[in-house]
Amino acid sequence: MAFTGTFGINYGRIADNIPSPDKVVTLLRAAKIKNVRIYDADHSVLNAFKGTGLELVVGLNNGLLKEMNANPDHALTWVEDNVKAFLPDTHIVGIAVGNEVLGNDADLSQALLGAVKNIYDATKKLGIDGAVQISTAHSQAVFENSYPPSSCTFTDAVAPLMKPLLELFSQIGSPFCLNAYPFLAYTYNKGKIDINYALFQPNKGIDDEKTDLHYDNLLDAQIDATYAALEDAGFKKMEVIITETGWASHGDESEAAAATPSNARTYNFNLRKRLAKRKGTPLRPKHILKAYIFALFNEDLKQGAASEKYYGLFKADGSISYGLKSSSTSYSFFSFKCKIGLVL
């Protein structure tokens, strides 16, 4: 299992003003965040994580997929140089092969399965397949319809590519990794979704008539839509893990109504409470929900919509992006915020 507990963080670094990796390690340990995902295998980060006990998933970025698909020897060298060489001192527990490929990039989609196979075979040859989990994360673009959750299937274009990938992951014990953003669903479906439903706030929710299940928040519905698509494809037993979820604190004009510090604070705090309950979803109540927050820092060099730069729980200087207050008991992640200036 490449996950301890229920909560983790994505440590993106598309920025020119964030703290150095060694200071980031100090921050993560102070925050008691153990599960961390990065989007490459940068050696300065891997060295900073040595001896920390933090559990790290490294990324093989999309730009390397064709090479890894075409050349098993290159895949072996990549795993040897970027994973095996740092074990066991750096606790690398997973390799994410590509990110949001299927449904978004038709060209790279043809290379994904071969790249995953070759990376997995490399871990076997190096004797680390039992310790390092192989996965790839998907966006909502792989789904045909996610409302109501029980109606969800994979798109006709994605399904032929998804099935052999799922067959491999089923054989090697990997989960289905989903990047799920209620923020995006709310923002781009104006007037159709109650913001309280997206923010885990009190609301009337929705009922799925086919399953007779009630949903009081959008994230649970998105996850159960994924389980429905997996069941439709013949993979009912596969676990779903949220590899990215978060809420932007600022955005451009089209996002301004949703992308506020108040909404970001509410979403992330309520998500943390949801994860602390250690429970599943209405459709899979025994599968404890696990999620990685996106992201650790605001990233000033991110491309795309303005909101892309403002998902961070922390600003570039290490100060909290917005107050995360609790009226009752504190969860370890939120209880150290007043000390963060001293940590960095």
Side-chain angles (χ1 to χ4, degrees):
M1 295 296 294
F3 207 114
T4 298
T6 63
F7 178 78
I9 197 84
N10 285 281
Y11 170 23
R13 304 188 322 282
I14 305 178
D16 60 6
N17 57 356
I18 59 176
S20 62
D22 60 321
K23 291 183 178 179
V24 170
V25 165
T26 302
L27 184 153
L28 292 168
R29 296 180 80 175
K32 296 182 171 57
I33 301 174
K34 186 166 187 176
N35 304 292
V36 184
R37 288 171 58 88
I38 59 174
Y39 292 89
D40 55 19
D42 185 272
H43 288 192
S44 67
V45 176
L46 301 185
N47 282 318
F49 274 65
K50 281 185 178 180
T52 63
L54 300 173
E55 299 189 348
L56 186 65
V57 175
V58 299
L60 186 147
N61 65 53
N62 291 356
L64 293 174
L65 290 178
K66 287 185 177 181
E67 178 186 351
M68 298 303 153
N69 171 53
N71 197 319
D73 288 338
H74 288 193
L76 181 64
T77 299
W78 190 92
V79 174
E80 192 166 23
D81 292 347
N82 296 292
V83 180
K84 179 67 182 294
F86 291 89
L87 294 172
D89 293 341
T90 301
H91 197 186
I92 300 172
V93 296
I95 303 171
V97 182
N99 187 51
E100 297 189 347
V101 175
L102 298 185
N104 292 307
D105 191 315
D107 189 29
L108 288 183
S109 292
Q110 301 298 323
L112 180 61
L113 177 62
V116 170
K117 283 183 175 179
N118 286 340
I119 291 295
Y120 173 68
D121 287 345
T123 64
K124 285 193 71 174
K125 287 181 181 178
L126 295 169
I128 59 173
D129 55 302
V132 179
Q133 187 180 79
I134 309 301
S135 64
T136 189
H138 304 285
S139 74
Q140 298 281 335
V142 300
F143 301 126
E144 185 66 48
N145 179 32
S146 58
Y147 181 83
S150 61
S151 70
C152 191
T153 59
F154 293 113
T155 68
D156 290 341
V158 163
L161 298 166
M162 182 67 80
K163 188 165 185 180
L165 189 63
L166 295 177
E167 287 173 346
L168 174 61
F169 284 154
S170 180
Q171 291 167 10
I172 66 177
S174 293
F176 186 95
C177 294
L178 176 68
N179 295 346
Y181 286 91
F183 164 74
L184 296 178
Y186 174 78
T187 299
Y188 296 108
N189 291 276
K190 293 189 185 301
K192 297 181 180 179
I193 297 174
D194 180 354
I195 194 166
N196 291 315
Y197 181 61
L199 292 173
F200 303 96
Q201 295 287 75
N203 68 93
K204 67 179 182 179
I206 68 159
D207 294 305
D208 189 322
E209 294 183 1
K210 180 179 177 181
T211 58
D212 199 28
L213 294 173
H214 179 76
Y215 292 89
D216 61 12
N217 72 83
L218 180 52
L219 184 63
D220 276 3
Q222 289 178 323
I223 296 167
D224 277 356
T226 306
Y227 278 123
L230 287 169
E231 185 170 352
D232 179 74
F235 298 90
K236 182 178 181 179
K237 294 183 179 180
M238 185 169 286
E239 181 185 15
V240 174
I241 288 180
I242 300 301
T243 37
E244 288 183 18
T245 190
W247 198 285
S249 58
H250 297 281
D252 56 33
E253 186 176 347
S254 66
E255 304 166 313
T260 68
S262 176
N263 286 342
R265 178 193 307 117
T266 299
Y267 181 81
N268 286 312
F269 181 66
N270 286 339
L271 172 64
R272 186 67 182 93
K273 290 199 298 182
R274 165 71 178 83
L275 295 172
K277 292 178 181 178
R278 300 183 64 84
K279 69 174 188 176
T281 60
L283 187 62
R284 294 286 188 272
K286 294 182 180 180
H287 288 195
I288 296 173
L289 177 59
K290 303 168 186 174
Y292 291 87
I293 293 282
F294 187 87
L296 187 58
F297 295 109
N298 287 336
E299 298 174 77
D300 65 329
L301 301 182
K302 289 287 288 284
Q303 301 296 311
S307 61
E308 290 288 333
K309 303 176 190 291
Y310 294 105
Y311 279 92
L313 297 181
F314 298 96
K315 297 177 183 178
D317 64 359
S319 62
I320 200 83
S321 288
Y322 36 78
L324 290 161
K325 298 179 180 178
S326 170
S327 58
S328 55
T329 341
S330 61
Y331 296 96
S332 61
F333 177 72
F334 303 110
S335 62
F336 76 109
K337 58 185 179 297
C338 60
K339 303 176 185 176
I340 205 65
L342 299 176
V343 171
L344 295 180

